mmCIF file of all heavy atoms in Angstrom:
data_model
loop_
_atom_site.group_PDB
_atom_site.id
_atom_site.type_symbol
_atom_site.label_atom_id
_atom_site.label_comp_id
_atom_site.label_asym_id
_atom_site.label_seq_id
_atom_site.Cartn_x
_atom_site.Cartn_y
_atom_site.Cartn_z
ATOM 1 N N GLN A 18 25.315 26.111 -68.247
ATOM 2 C CA GLN A 18 26.544 25.333 -68.112
ATOM 3 C C GLN A 18 27.726 25.963 -68.842
ATOM 4 O O GLN A 18 28.823 26.051 -68.315
ATOM 5 C CB GLN A 18 26.308 23.904 -68.624
ATOM 6 C CG GLN A 18 25.304 23.110 -67.793
ATOM 7 C CD GLN A 18 25.760 22.965 -66.362
ATOM 8 O OE1 GLN A 18 26.948 22.832 -66.088
ATOM 9 N NE2 GLN A 18 24.812 22.998 -65.428
ATOM 10 N N ASP A 19 27.480 26.441 -70.057
ATOM 11 C CA ASP A 19 28.583 26.969 -70.848
ATOM 12 C C ASP A 19 29.108 28.289 -70.300
ATOM 13 O O ASP A 19 30.314 28.503 -70.209
ATOM 14 C CB ASP A 19 28.135 27.171 -72.300
ATOM 15 C CG ASP A 19 27.822 25.832 -72.973
ATOM 16 O OD1 ASP A 19 28.376 24.818 -72.506
ATOM 17 O OD2 ASP A 19 27.038 25.818 -73.930
ATOM 18 N N THR A 20 28.183 29.201 -69.934
ATOM 19 C CA THR A 20 28.634 30.533 -69.529
ATOM 20 C C THR A 20 29.311 30.516 -68.166
ATOM 21 O O THR A 20 30.259 31.260 -67.939
ATOM 22 C CB THR A 20 27.446 31.503 -69.494
ATOM 23 O OG1 THR A 20 26.436 30.959 -68.640
ATOM 24 C CG2 THR A 20 26.871 31.704 -70.874
ATOM 25 N N ILE A 21 28.821 29.688 -67.250
ATOM 26 C CA ILE A 21 29.430 29.652 -65.930
ATOM 27 C C ILE A 21 30.872 29.184 -66.002
ATOM 28 O O ILE A 21 31.714 29.623 -65.232
ATOM 29 C CB ILE A 21 28.618 28.734 -64.987
ATOM 30 C CG1 ILE A 21 27.246 29.362 -64.713
ATOM 31 C CG2 ILE A 21 29.336 28.469 -63.697
ATOM 32 C CD1 ILE A 21 27.305 30.658 -63.965
ATOM 33 N N GLN A 22 31.198 28.344 -66.959
ATOM 34 C CA GLN A 22 32.564 27.843 -67.080
ATOM 35 C C GLN A 22 33.546 28.963 -67.387
ATOM 36 O O GLN A 22 34.712 28.894 -67.040
ATOM 37 C CB GLN A 22 32.614 26.777 -68.181
ATOM 38 C CG GLN A 22 31.871 25.489 -67.806
ATOM 39 C CD GLN A 22 31.855 24.492 -68.941
ATOM 40 O OE1 GLN A 22 32.415 24.751 -70.009
ATOM 41 N NE2 GLN A 22 31.206 23.351 -68.717
ATOM 42 N N GLY A 23 33.071 30.041 -68.042
ATOM 43 C CA GLY A 23 33.964 31.133 -68.384
ATOM 44 C C GLY A 23 34.285 32.022 -67.204
ATOM 45 O O GLY A 23 35.251 32.747 -67.214
ATOM 46 N N GLN A 24 33.435 31.984 -66.176
ATOM 47 C CA GLN A 24 33.656 32.802 -64.987
ATOM 48 C C GLN A 24 33.138 32.020 -63.801
ATOM 49 O O GLN A 24 31.969 31.643 -63.765
ATOM 50 C CB GLN A 24 32.910 34.131 -65.124
ATOM 51 C CG GLN A 24 33.109 35.083 -63.970
ATOM 52 C CD GLN A 24 34.452 35.747 -64.010
ATOM 53 O OE1 GLN A 24 34.927 36.087 -65.071
ATOM 54 N NE2 GLN A 24 35.066 35.912 -62.864
ATOM 55 N N ASP A 25 33.985 31.712 -62.827
ATOM 56 C CA ASP A 25 33.592 30.825 -61.748
ATOM 57 C C ASP A 25 32.425 31.360 -60.929
ATOM 58 O O ASP A 25 31.573 30.603 -60.481
ATOM 59 C CB ASP A 25 34.783 30.561 -60.828
ATOM 60 C CG ASP A 25 35.823 29.684 -61.511
ATOM 61 O OD1 ASP A 25 35.440 28.949 -62.440
ATOM 62 O OD2 ASP A 25 36.994 29.749 -61.102
ATOM 63 N N ARG A 219 29.030 39.430 -65.898
ATOM 64 C CA ARG A 219 29.600 38.259 -65.235
ATOM 65 C C ARG A 219 30.720 37.660 -66.070
ATOM 66 O O ARG A 219 31.779 37.297 -65.567
ATOM 67 C CB ARG A 219 28.522 37.203 -64.986
ATOM 68 C CG ARG A 219 29.024 35.995 -64.174
ATOM 69 C CD ARG A 219 28.050 34.841 -64.228
ATOM 70 N NE ARG A 219 27.968 34.294 -65.567
ATOM 71 C CZ ARG A 219 28.838 33.427 -66.077
ATOM 72 N NH1 ARG A 219 29.860 33.025 -65.351
ATOM 73 N NH2 ARG A 219 28.693 32.969 -67.299
ATOM 74 N N GLN A 220 30.481 37.577 -67.358
ATOM 75 C CA GLN A 220 31.495 36.994 -68.236
ATOM 76 C C GLN A 220 32.718 37.894 -68.385
ATOM 77 O O GLN A 220 33.835 37.409 -68.534
ATOM 78 C CB GLN A 220 30.877 36.720 -69.609
ATOM 79 C CG GLN A 220 29.828 35.619 -69.612
ATOM 80 C CD GLN A 220 29.423 35.223 -71.011
ATOM 81 O OE1 GLN A 220 30.255 35.007 -71.879
ATOM 82 N NE2 GLN A 220 28.117 35.125 -71.239
#
Side-chain angles (χ1 to χ4, degrees):
Q18 295 300 324
D19 294 336
T20 55
I21 293 295
Q22 291 176 1
Q24 182 76 38
D25 289 336
R219 185 194 67 82
Q220 292 190 47

